[in-house]
Amino acid sequence: MSIVNFLLILISLIILPILAGAGLGRLLRVRGTLSGSILMGYLLTWTVIQLFSVPVTLMKGSFRLIAWSCLAVLIIAAVFFIISSLTAKTEKNVSMIRGTVSGFGKCVSNRFTLVLYLIFIVLSAFIFYKIIRYYHLDADDTRYVINAVDILRTDSILQTDPTSGTPLQLAYGDFYKDLVSSWSVFLAYTGFVTGVSPTIAAHSVMHVILYILILSVYWRLSLMLFANKDGDETRQNRIVFMYFVQLIILFGYYSLQSSETFILTRLWQGKSVVAGLGIPLIIYLFMNIYDDPKKKAYWVLILLTAVSMCHMSAMGIVISAVMIAAFGLYTTIAKKKIWICILAFICCIPSGVYFLISQMTDYFKYIQN
């Protein structure tokens, strides 16, 4: 990996999603934070790729159309954030960077809080080492990664049988899941924008970035759980909460199928992202919706999360719909407002649409016998 590749990774997979997410947050009137911005940036990325992938695959179109469309959307959102920040005239429009620097200054002002944060950084670095050094390879790589490599090589999606490398004539076992849950397209996108092979990007770069996203979700949860005041004790409680999250992940290898095992060993796979990121993100968003159900931004983010979970894995299609329906019904009963149930139903529509597409693929005559 050259310096150019490293710079492309930094710009296209970290800086651009953060700025794009900040632009989306500005549009939705959500307070800009670093953790929230990178989450919204990747939700926007996954949503755009998913919305383009299914029709492009069915019409046997070009993968580069998806990649350039996604880049265009992210750049437009990032430019919007930059311009709106430069033209802001009120104190409410404090930039994300200034807010982050201010929060960091409050942390280092107390020595004990600073020590806690330094320990957290060391623990995170150790887990980063573990997930890069001891990642697990299995038969799933013949789909997720091989499909991604083939997509980038041929500029087409699902045109090659991943088990044999021959042109696809008949649907392989997981074809219908791969059609509606196009996680391999995202892995191919990471290779496209960085110039790094999707194999390397999946097993090293994205493993780290996705774990940062998981930590960002739990940090957002800590801000809700310990939101009584902005003092040293509150910040210390938040970081201790993050300790427990990381320790549970680190010592959660009680089963080959546990979410902690998936996070540590094969986070580049879509089903791992559903378990480690998608589920806690829906919980976090509905906690906000329960407190303020009239805030439209949270409903938009729930919708983006639903589409993103459909993109990650076919499992995400079902899990997102069940969770949104359950939380929506509970909130409707608790708040006694029927329109909450209607909005929850709207957020479940992507799951229903992609499930129907997976069942009707033969009617599109995509596979030529």
Side-chain angles (χ1 to χ4, degrees):
M1 187 183 301
S2 66
I3 297 178
V4 174
N5 295 132
F6 177 79
L7 291 176
L8 288 174
I9 290 170
L10 182 65
I11 294 171
S12 61
L13 297 182
I14 299 178
I15 296 176
L16 182 59
I18 290 175
L19 294 178
L24 177 62
R26 183 65 58 86
L27 187 64
L28 297 176
R29 297 181 180 179
V30 176
R31 183 175 177 268
T33 61
L34 192 59
S35 58
S37 295
I38 192 170
L39 284 169
M40 287 188 288
Y42 270 95
L43 287 179
L44 184 61
T45 301
W46 293 327
T47 299
V48 173
I49 292 177
Q50 176 68 3
L51 293 178
F52 275 89
S53 291
V54 175
V56 169
T57 302
L58 291 173
M59 294 185 293
K60 300 185 179 180
S62 170
F63 157 73
R64 283 173 172 75
L65 172 64
I66 302 173
W68 285 114
S69 299
C70 183
L71 276 175
V73 171
L74 294 180
I75 291 172
I76 290 172
V79 170
F80 170 74
F81 170 71
I82 293 172
I83 294 176
S84 61
S85 297
L86 293 176
T87 57
K89 297 181 180 180
T90 64
E91 288 298 324
K92 292 183 179 180
N93 291 325
V94 177
S95 71
M96 174 183 60
I97 297 177
R98 287 175 57 190
T100 303
V101 172
S102 175
F104 178 76
K106 293 177 181 178
C107 293
V108 300
S109 62
N110 182 284
R111 289 186 178 181
F112 182 64
T113 305
L114 177 60
V115 170
L116 289 177
Y117 273 85
L118 290 176
I119 295 174
F120 172 75
I121 293 173
V122 172
L123 181 59
S124 300
F126 174 71
I127 294 180
F128 286 145
Y129 168 75
K130 293 279 289 185
I131 62 179
I132 294 175
R133 177 64 179 82
Y134 298 104
Y135 64 80
H136 172 72
L137 297 177
D138 59 15
D140 282 336
D141 272 36
T142 62
R143 288 177 46 235
Y144 289 108
V145 179
I146 298 302
N147 277 340
V149 172
D150 185 70
I151 289 169
L152 196 58
R153 179 181 64 87
T154 64
D155 192 30
S156 59
I157 305 172
L158 301 184
Q159 297 292 309
T160 304
D161 189 334
T163 61
S164 64
T166 59
L168 188 63
Q169 299 297 326
L170 296 172
Y172 53 87
D174 292 313
F175 170 81
Y176 300 109
K177 294 193 295 184
D178 292 343
L179 171 64
V180 294
S181 300
S182 51
W183 185 250
S184 294
V185 180
F186 170 68
L187 295 181
Y189 167 81
T190 62
F192 177 80
V193 297
T194 62
V196 176
S197 169
T199 305
I200 298 174
H203 293 153
S204 56
V205 178
M206 288 314 302
H207 215 157
V208 173
I209 293 177
L210 290 170
Y211 186 69
I212 292 174
L213 293 177
I214 290 174
L215 290 182
S216 298
V217 173
Y218 283 104
W219 178 251
R220 303 303 305 169
L221 280 169
S222 75
L223 295 179
M224 289 199 67
L225 295 174
F226 306 101
N228 54 337
K229 59 181 180 178
D230 187 25
D232 290 327
E233 182 179 352
T234 300
R235 284 188 284 272
Q236 292 165 10
N237 289 337
R238 291 169 182 168
I239 201 64
V240 170
F241 170 80
M242 295 301 295
Y243 283 168
F244 279 105
V245 169
Q246 298 223 72
L247 290 174
I248 290 172
I249 292 174
L250 192 58
F251 294 96
Y253 191 16
Y254 58 86
S255 166
L256 289 174
Q257 306 302 324
S258 69
S259 60
E260 294 84 2
T261 302
F262 273 64
I263 289 172
L264 287 174
T265 60
R266 41 181 166 169
L267 187 53
W268 65 88
Q269 296 178 4
K271 55 190 173 185
S272 304
V273 187
V274 168
L277 176 65
I279 292 175
L281 183 55
I282 287 184
I283 293 173
Y284 164 73
L285 290 173
F286 261 102
M287 287 174 65
N288 283 278
I289 287 174
Y290 186 85
D291 291 340
D292 187 6
K294 292 184 178 180
K295 190 159 186 177
K296 298 178 182 178
Y298 296 135
W299 289 105
V300 173
L301 292 175
I302 281 285
L303 185 60
L304 293 180
T305 303
V307 177
S308 297
M309 290 181 69
C310 293
H311 174 65
M312 295 168 187
S313 171
M315 181 177 67
I317 296 176
V318 178
I319 291 178
S320 63
V322 171
M323 290 187 67
I324 292 171
F327 279 122
L329 181 61
Y330 172 79
T331 309
T332 299
I333 296 173
K335 299 294 184 180
K336 297 181 175 62
K337 297 184 184 297
I338 190 64
W339 56 265
I340 295 178
C341 191
I342 296 173
L343 290 177
F345 172 78
I346 293 174
C347 293
C348 290
I349 289 177
S351 295
V353 170
Y354 288 119
F355 174 77
L356 289 176
I357 291 175
S358 71
Q359 300 302 307
M360 297 174 61
T361 301
D362 288 337
Y363 292 100
F364 291 111
K365 296 182 178 179
Y366 175 77
I367 301 300
Q368 301 296 327
N369 294 311

